[in-house]
Amino acid sequence: MTPAAASDRPSHRPSWAGRNYTLLTAAAIATNLGSQGALIASAFAVLDAGGDGGDVGLVAAARTLPLVLFLLIGGAVADRLPRHRVMVAANTLNCLSQAAFAALVISGEAQLWQMMLLSGLGGTGQAFFNPAAEGMLMSSVEGEQASRAFAVFRMATQGAGLGGAALGGALVAVIGPGWVLAVDAAAFALAAALRSFLDVSHIPPRAPGGGLLADLRDGWQEFIGRTWLWSIVAQFAVVVAVVGAAESVYGPLVARDSLGGPGPWGLALGAFGVGTVGGALLMMRWKPRRLLLAGTLCVFPLALPAAALALPVPVGALYAVMFVSGLAIEVFGVSWMTALHQEIPEDMLSRVSAYDWFGSIAMTPLALALAGPAEEAFGRTASLWGCATLVVVVTAAVLCVPDVRNLTRRTRAVTKRTPLPEVEGGPAADKRGSADGEGAVGGLG
């Protein structure tokens, strides 16, 4: 652990839980509590205003589109400026946009274009926040305890998401979506305050570079030179898109028509959160040697929620399906973060994270916008089965990549650009392409 991370650490903390790690975890818990409820609230705010499934998809797409457009710039900015300042500024924008969204919904005057605009501002904040946050978290831990630290972080935040989803669904039904959005705005304000105390003195200052375009080019070289990295990001471009369409658009509609409304749907999302907590607990003890092989096999269960909604199954069965998919994706999430932490140099973390996020969500705005028209053209059931099938097909395809199957765990992280050892069973897994020439796990982790 770095001296800065170790300073001011009370003796009752684990050795890997330094000051920065603790602040980052506390802030992420706050935002996850608010944001998971806000996901439900925003969908039902659109429906309460007279919108349909297509309108729900448009509002969701409006948030994701600027996220795609500005992610790469956000990654370059986060590797150039102090990451905690980027995070605080992004949280402030999210707080203000969500507060305005809440005020409109509470007033009963919300128009579709206004909800889309405010969702877009929130997505812009996330575009700058996500790469900075991932880089900051990875720089706050090191060594062979990194995997456990990531598992605990994800367990805490996913547990908060569990509570936020269950409570948010209930509150939407009881007091309306506007007040749930207001709680989310307050959570962003608290997170910004916590993140303002992060210490970045242990991060070496960046040497003067060639500007923003040069930073983006260097990040691209780092990204494209690793087959395991870009192939999994390409996989998640499809997975995140179809899972997002199934859960953000079709899920609330199925809940309204067949499950009893926002309460049961919130509990279903909560069951997913319980599964992620279980997956994080598992990953605190299990350290698979072939990181990405274990993680990728656990992407297959992400097809189950769409299939369950297509039938649709009874509420109890849906809860079980969501639990299993949550547990499985957490195995992938911890494995993915550990692989990035051990393979990517610190000064490239935010830029690589930006390419990871960018690729993973690039197709999501289109999928969300087309979810409504697809339902009209093919029917909701056929659209949901299509989502499930695509998850299975692209996950099977990425298992054909040798570097995904063979990348092995190391106990030391890469801290500078040096030739990497060969992975078991194949050539060097990640050539950096220094002359030529990505997370939180896409938008799922």
Side-chain angles (χ1 to χ4, degrees):
M1 180 166 42
T2 61
S7 63
D8 302 324
R9 177 175 55 81
S11 58
H12 65 271
R13 293 183 194 160
S15 60
W16 40 262
R19 179 173 179 268
N20 279 359
Y21 177 88
T22 303
L23 286 170
L24 288 166
T25 302
I29 289 172
T31 53
N32 271 28
L33 276 170
S35 296
Q36 291 302 311
L39 286 174
I40 303 169
S42 61
F44 282 93
V46 176
L47 295 175
D48 289 349
D52 56 15
D55 294 331
V56 173
L58 287 175
V59 172
R63 180 178 182 84
T64 310
L65 181 58
L67 184 57
V68 173
L69 293 177
F70 295 114
L71 260 173
L72 298 184
I73 297 174
V77 169
D79 274 339
R80 181 173 290 270
L81 300 178
R83 289 177 180 140
H84 69 310
R85 294 182 182 175
V86 178
M87 295 166 71
V88 170
N91 283 166
T92 301
L93 177 58
N94 283 126
C95 172
L96 295 175
S97 62
Q98 206 72 320
F101 198 163
L104 284 171
V105 174
I106 292 170
S107 72
E109 301 295 329
Q111 303 292 319
L112 179 62
W113 70 267
Q114 294 170 326
M115 292 187 281
M116 292 176 63
L117 175 62
L118 292 170
S119 292
L121 289 175
T124 301
Q126 288 301 112
F128 285 87
F129 174 82
N130 288 343
E134 192 156 314
M136 195 75 203
L137 176 63
M138 290 187 184
S139 70
S140 71
V141 298
E142 68 178 41
E144 60 181 319
Q145 293 300 321
S147 179
R148 174 169 292 184
F150 296 145
V152 172
F153 175 86
R154 292 175 66 93
M155 179 178 65
T157 55
Q158 300 289 14
L162 157 66
L167 183 60
L171 288 177
V172 168
V174 174
I175 62 176
W179 293 106
V180 178
L181 293 168
V183 170
D184 190 35
F188 277 117
L190 174 59
L194 290 171
R195 287 164 175 146
S196 67
F197 291 104
L198 290 169
D199 181 7
V200 296
S201 61
H202 65 287
I203 300 177
R206 283 280 311 277
L212 185 64
L213 290 179
D215 286 349
L216 291 173
R217 184 181 64 248
D218 290 344
W220 173 253
Q221 292 171 353
E222 197 75 28
F223 173 81
I224 201 65
R226 302 170 184 272
T227 307
W228 60 268
L229 179 55
W230 62 256
S231 62
I232 288 181
V233 170
Q235 169 203 11
F236 268 80
V238 176
V239 171
V240 173
V242 298
V243 170
E247 295 189 358
S248 296
V249 179
Y250 300 135
L253 295 173
V254 174
R256 182 192 64 186
D257 296 341
S258 305
L259 302 178
W265 181 237
L267 289 175
L269 295 178
F272 180 88
V274 173
T276 61
V277 172
L281 285 170
L282 172 64
M283 294 304 288
M284 288 178 64
R285 295 184 175 275
W286 183 41
K287 296 182 178 180
R289 185 163 179 263
R290 297 195 181 190
L291 287 167
L292 297 181
L293 176 61
T296 301
L297 287 172
C298 288
V299 179
F300 284 110
L302 286 184
L304 295 176
L309 291 170
L311 290 171
V313 299
V315 171
L318 178 62
Y319 295 163
V321 162
M322 296 294 282
F323 173 84
V324 170
S325 61
L327 188 149
I329 197 57
E330 197 64 16
V331 174
F332 171 84
V334 174
S335 299
W336 180 248
M337 292 184 72
T338 304
L340 291 177
H341 180 265
Q342 78 172 24
E343 302 296 328
I344 307 299
E346 195 282 331
D347 66 325
M348 286 284 180
L349 283 173
S350 289
R351 276 169 285 176
V352 170
S353 174
Y355 279 105
D356 173 13
W357 275 93
F358 177 82
S360 297
I361 67 171
M363 295 176 62
T364 302
L366 181 62
L368 292 172
L370 291 179
E375 181 184 15
E376 294 180 3
F378 307 109
R380 188 184 304 166
T381 298
S383 299
L384 282 164
W385 280 118
C387 292
T389 300
L390 284 171
V391 171
V392 172
V393 169
V394 298
T395 303
V398 85
L399 284 174
C400 297
V401 178
D403 292 346
V404 171
R405 300 193 305 270
N406 297 329
L407 182 68
T408 56
R409 179 186 300 272
R410 296 203 299 270
T411 57
R412 294 179 58 194
V414 175
T415 56
K416 61 182 179 178
R417 298 183 198 176
T418 55
L420 298 180
E422 294 186 356
V423 299
E424 180 182 341
D430 27 20
K431 298 174 180 141
R432 287 185 164 78
S434 57
D436 303 310
E438 149 233 282
V441 185
L444 294 174

